[in-house]
Structures are given as C-alpha cells and as structure tokens.
Amino acid sequence: MMRNSIFSKLCIHTITTKPWSIEEAITNYAAASIAGISVWRNTLEGRNIKAIGDQIRSHGLEVTSLARGGFFPSTDPAKRLLAIEDNLRAIDEAYALGAPIIVLVCGADPTQSLATSRLQIQDGLHQVLPHAQAAGVKLAIEPLHPMYAGDRSAINTLAQATDMSISLQSEWVGVALDVYHVWWDPHLESEIARCGASGKLLAFHICDWKVNTTDLLNDRGLMGEGCIPVHQIRTWVNQTGFTGLEEVEIFSNHYWSMDQSEYLQKIKIAYQNSFQQNKSDI
Amino acid sequence: MMRNSIFSKLCIHTITTKPWSIEEAITNYAAASIAGISVWRNTLEGRNIKAIGDQIRSHGLEVTSLARGGFFPSTDPAKRLLAIEDNLRAIDEAYALGAPIIVLVCGADPTQSLATSRLQIQDGLHQVLPHAQAAGVKLAIEPLHPMYAGDRSAINTLAQATDMSISLQSEWVGVALDVYHVWWDPHLESEIARCGASGKLLAFHICDWKVNTTDLLNDRGLMGEGCIPVHQIRTWVNQTGFTGLEEVEIFSNHYWSMDQSEYLQKIKIAYQNSFQQNKSDI
C-alpha cells in the first residue's frame, strides 16, 4: 500500500472497468495501489453485499460510494413509488457494503415539464432521507450535463444541486460534482465555493470531455484527452477544504473494448499527468 | 400569399432543407406559403448575392437572417484576424442580400480556457460592430448548448449572451434564441424576459430535442417529436413583445435523406401542431 503516493486520493468507479466483475476490480485496483472503489449496483447482483464490503476493506481499499440511486420523476404515481422503494433498497445496500454515500442520478420524465420533475425529485428525496439518516448513508445529488435533461436528470447545474440539497434541511443530502457535467458552467468557480461553504460537497468525479464526442453516453475521455481543465477544477474543489478521494468515472465503449489491465495503467498515468496544468491561461 | 394564415410567422433555414439549392428553397418555400427564409452562406457560393435577395423578395418571402458568422476565438492571433475578416465579409453579404441580422456561432478553442475564448469573442465583436452598424446589419449572439462548449461556442447560456450583448453598448448586437440550446435552463423564463426587456431579443429558432438523440450535431427533431416545451417558450418570447418570425432550424441526417417536399409538409404540420400545448402542467 502506498498511502502517501500520488495515488493516495485516487478512486475508480467499477463502471469505468465495466468488463471486470466486482471481485476482479477489487483485486486489480488493490494490486495497482488505487486508494478507493466506487461500486455500481449491477456488480453486486447475486453477491453477499456485506462480504463484498469486507473483501474491499481487507484489500486495503476504501469504499467511496455506491452508484446509483435516484430516477424519482414519473407522470405515473405507481412508478414514483417504485423509485422510492428502489432508493430505500439502495440505502440498505450502501449500509451493508459500508459505503458512506449514494450517488443520485435524479431522473426526468420527458412527458412532463422539468419543473414538475424537479418537484418530484425534491419529494422523493424528502421521503427517503429519514431512512438514509437511520442507515448513516448520505445521498449525493449529481447535477447532470444539460444534454441529459430529457430523461436522465432535471438537475443540470451545480447551483440547482446545491440549492436543492440546502432546501431539504438535512445533513444527509449533498452534492456529487463530476467535471464532465459542469465544466462549461460560467459560474463554476463561485458555485463550487458556495457548495463547499454550505457543507454540501460530498464527492468529486473526474474524466474528460472529448472535443469530437461521438456518443452522448459512452464516449468520455481520460483526463488530458479533452478540453476540461481538470486540475483547475480540482484546485477550486480543494480550496473548499474537500478531503475526499478523486473518483475516475468513465463510460467509454472504446476503453471497455481494450484489455482492462492496460487501461488501468493508462488511468494511473492520466491521473498523474492531470496534476500538470496544461492550459497556461487558467 | 397567406399573410394572415397560421404560417404568417413561419420562417425556414435553408440548412433545414439542405439538399435544396437556394433557388429550389426559394421556389418551394414560396409555393408552400412560408413567410420567411434564413439563408446559410454555403447556399450563396457562386451566386450574385444581391440578385438572390431580389429573387427572395419577388417570391414574397422575407429574408430573416444570414447564417452564420462568429468563430472568433483561437490561440493563434493570425486565425483571430482571419475570423474578423470573415465576419466583415459576412456583413457585406448580409447587406447585399438584404438580411437584417447575422446569426453568430461565437466559437471556442478547446486548447484554451472558456474564459479566454469569451474575451476573444467580446474583442472580435467589438472590432466588427462598426462595420455592422455602417451596413445596417445586426449581429445576433446565439447561446449554444453546453455540449458544444468544446469547440463551437463558449457562450452557453442565454444569460451570458444577454450580458455580452449589453456590455458591448451597441444597438447592433443582440441575441438569437434557439429552443434547442436553452430549453433545459432553470432560469429560462426570467432570462427571456430580461433579454427582451433590454431590447436584445433579435431572433427565435424552433425545433425539438429527441429523447434518444443519437448524434450531437445532426439529430434534431421536428417540433413535437421531443421534450422541448416549444409553445411555452414561444409564449415567454411573445410576452417580451417580440414580433419577429419563428425560424425552423433543424440539422437532421434523417430528414435530409427524405424527399424534401414531403419534409416541408411535415414541417408545416409540426409547426401548426406546436401551438397546441402538449404538456398539461406547464
């Protein structure tokens, strides 16, 4: 273990190395001296979740978060109830795993207005927060890029996520910030400061935006491959006093198709290089 | 001509029916009782621009705008100069055509920060505005969807476009609002009101966002095909006192591959239906 190495704050989401099972991810991340793992629920199917949590910790890895809950809005009240139940289950899973945070993709129903979807998100969070508090699990609203406003999330800016987490008046809800979703925001620096100052900044995800993105979902880049000023944003995040891990979350058909051990080495190199500011003017 | 029909405010961008030459577009739009045409510069190559303007007017069509200028930012000063020259040429073309407005895709250079690109946009506009004023042509900053922040525009919200056009202190610069780029904005209603109240709302473009968008550039939908509350946004626009035409601007590999006369009929039907509010809650 190399807790004082440059990788001592590096966490990887299991979806980043999607071809690996949770067991393979644990073994390979630990062997590569990665500090943390964010676990996607699909990898837990058919597993004893508590045993997976123990296995992660026995390999010296930190469980950073469970991904993902949310998807609250629907015009159909029965579906909204199912979403509540699913989020309660996610909280139980996070508790069993020992994950302190659940990342939320809040949802949107394209057949109703964004304003209505936002009210349903607020209501859904309100309903599940007592269970989150009882389990000691925090819920992190992830603002999603506006290109996902159609059906993935009606929360599309950091300001919205911060405002909603403040309005819920619970220390068990906060924000997960992903550079991919927010890098374009003209108010990003001040909004990161505000989110941090209000005690709501719970998680920090990194990757890159490729200039010639070919797929809205699965064409994210490694840090340095695109135009996101990752180090600049990291600096703003750290200035708030954020001490959490930095989570690499990359959906990429390209990277999923390559040898995942080679890819893991690429991630480490890209992470290391991301500390070199590559844009002189920012 | 049916100036009092439901189509009396309907304008179409030539790019919408890309397979047609400018002459075919003029003839077919006029025959279909469309009120206006927004001309893309590519259609003018090798043509006498003044004669095309005369041809448009003699067919009873209004020239709504010329598309497009902009693309000011670059790390390379020589390229910034070329952009200035190209925008001056665009102004001359708009003057010759009799187009009152040039729509600007302002540009972004992915190898520098968005903040720097914005300063270069502001500087570029400052340099070309005297020529625009002399020609009697207004420049309309079009805020582009954040998914184009990498290399197409560093102006990604209506608020930014309004602020920049106000800061330039010239009545010859304003804003072109396209529902595709701004529909997700939580401040859209108030920002439309502010843009209108400051006298900056110059143009209104319509289309739709398809929930399962497959291409970042060329998969726009016809009004009603997606999740944009077009009529709601139109209402907000009209409440500012906006009296311009409503411009259908659709980039779509799907629609470009079909018979363009059939497509034109589909556009008219979609336009007509767009006045029926289809979301009860907004």
Side-chain angles (χ1 to χ4, degrees), chain A residues 27-173:
Chain A
T27 311
N28 291 316
Y29 293 1
S33 303
I34 308 301
I37 183 168
S38 279
V39 178
W40 278 54
R41 294 171 72 193
N42 64 297
T43 67
L44 298 175
E45 276 165 31
R47 308 297 202 280
N48 177 321
I49 296 177
K50 190 176 174 312
I52 294 288
D54 292 340
Q55 192 179 335
I56 290 172
R57 282 177 291 274
S58 75
H59 278 75
L61 289 162
E62 180 178 329
V63 184
T64 312
S65 65
L66 181 72
R68 55 200 187 181
F71 292 102
F72 294 108
S74 173
T75 53
D76 180 350
K79 286 190 181 159
R80 294 205 297 276
L81 272 180
L82 284 175
I84 300 286
E85 286 166 18
D86 186 59
N87 279 277
L88 296 175
R89 256 195 314 275
I91 292 166
D92 292 339
E93 290 170 24
Y95 177 81
L97 189 67
I101 289 169
I102 296 174
V103 180
L104 303 180
V105 170
C106 289
D109 184 327
T111 66
Q112 69 187 8
S113 75
L114 289 168
T116 299
S117 286
R118 288 170 196 142
L119 287 174
Q120 292 174 351
I121 291 166
Q122 178 107 4
D123 182 60
L125 281 166
H126 186 73
Q127 290 193 52
V128 301
L129 269 169
H131 194 58
Q133 176 166 7
V137 171
K138 290 192 175 184
L139 305 179
I141 300 169
E142 183 171 22
L144 251 57
H145 194 286
M147 73 182 173
Y148 303 123
D151 60 349
R152 288 178 182 270
S153 184
I155 308 290
N156 306 106
T157 63
L158 175 54
Q160 286 177 291
T162 301
D163 287 344
M164 186 171 289
S165 64
I166 290 173
S167 75
L168 283 158
Q169 299 184 296
S170 162
E171 63 181 295
W172 298 93
V173 61

Side-chain angles (χ1 to χ4, degrees), chain B:
Chain B
M1 294 213 288
M2 303 168 62
R3 278 289 180 261
N4 293 318
S5 82
I6 194 168
F7 303 115
S8 65
K9 288 193 75 177
L10 175 57
C11 166
I12 298 180
H13 278 242
T14 58
I15 195 74
T16 301
T17 56
K18 190 169 80 165
W20 278 343
S21 67
I22 184 68
E23 293 82 4
E24 289 170 318
I26 294 168
T27 312
N28 291 316
Y29 294 1
S33 301
I34 308 300
I37 182 170
S38 278
V39 178
W40 277 54
R41 294 172 73 192
N42 64 298
T43 67
L44 297 175
E45 276 166 29
R47 309 296 204 281
N48 177 319
I49 296 177
K50 190 178 174 311
I52 294 289
D54 292 340
Q55 193 179 334
I56 290 171
R57 281 177 291 274
S58 75
H59 278 75
L61 289 162
E62 180 178 330
V63 184
T64 312
S65 64
L66 181 72
R68 55 196 188 182
F71 293 103
F72 294 109
S74 173
T75 53
D76 180 350
K79 287 192 180 157
R80 295 204 297 276
L81 272 179
L82 285 175
I84 300 286
E85 287 166 18
D86 186 61
N87 279 276
L88 296 175
R89 257 195 313 277
I91 291 166
D92 292 339
E93 291 170 24
Y95 177 80
L97 189 69
I101 288 169
I102 297 174
V103 180
L104 302 180
V105 170
C106 290
D109 184 327
T111 66
Q112 68 188 9
S113 75
L114 289 168
T116 299
S117 287
R118 287 169 197 143
L119 287 174
Q120 293 174 352
I121 292 166
Q122 178 108 1
D123 183 60
L125 282 165
H126 185 72
Q127 290 193 51
V128 300
L129 271 168
H131 194 59
Q133 176 166 5
V137 172
K138 290 192 177 185
L139 306 179
I141 299 169
E142 182 172 21
L144 251 58
H145 194 285
M147 73 182 174
Y148 303 123
D151 60 349
R152 289 178 181 269
S153 185
I155 308 290
N156 306 105
T157 64
L158 174 54
Q160 286 177 290
T162 302
D163 287 343
M164 187 172 286
S165 64
I166 291 173
S167 75
L168 283 158
Q169 297 184 297
S170 163
E171 63 182 295
W172 299 94
V173 62
V175 174
L177 185 75
D178 186 320
V179 297
Y180 194 74
H181 298 302
V182 301
W183 73 277
W184 56 272
D185 188 339
H187 303 296
L188 188 57
E189 181 177 4
S190 61
E191 286 297 333
I192 287 174
R194 182 169 75 95
C195 183
S198 54
K200 294 300 183 186
L201 189 51
L202 301 182
F204 180 46
H205 299 182
I206 57 176
C207 65
D208 212 337
W209 177 281
K210 292 165 67 182
V211 173
N212 293 310
T213 297
T214 58
D215 187 287
L216 277 80
L217 281 175
N218 299 322
D219 191 29
R220 294 192 186 193
L222 272 170
M223 297 73 73
E225 225 183 328
C227 53
I228 299 180
V230 173
H231 187 65
Q232 175 66 82
I233 299 174
R234 165 192 290 133
T235 304
W236 294 335
V237 165
N238 289 341
Q239 278 166 358
T240 70
F242 180 81
T243 57
L245 300 191
E246 302 188 353
E247 311 177 36
V248 176
E249 185 188 38
I250 297 174
F251 313 138
S252 165
N253 292 324
H254 170 69
Y255 286 118
W256 289 332
S257 72
M258 67 178 278
D259 177 277
Q260 296 298 286
S261 294
E262 279 177 38
Y263 177 34
L264 187 56
Q265 293 311 309
K266 276 184 185 287
I267 292 172
K268 290 178 70 174
I269 292 166
Y271 180 71
Q272 210 160 1
N273 291 340
S274 77
F275 290 87
Q276 314 303 318
Q277 184 56 265
N278 55 2
K279 291 179 187 174
S280 58
D281 61 320
I282 50 177

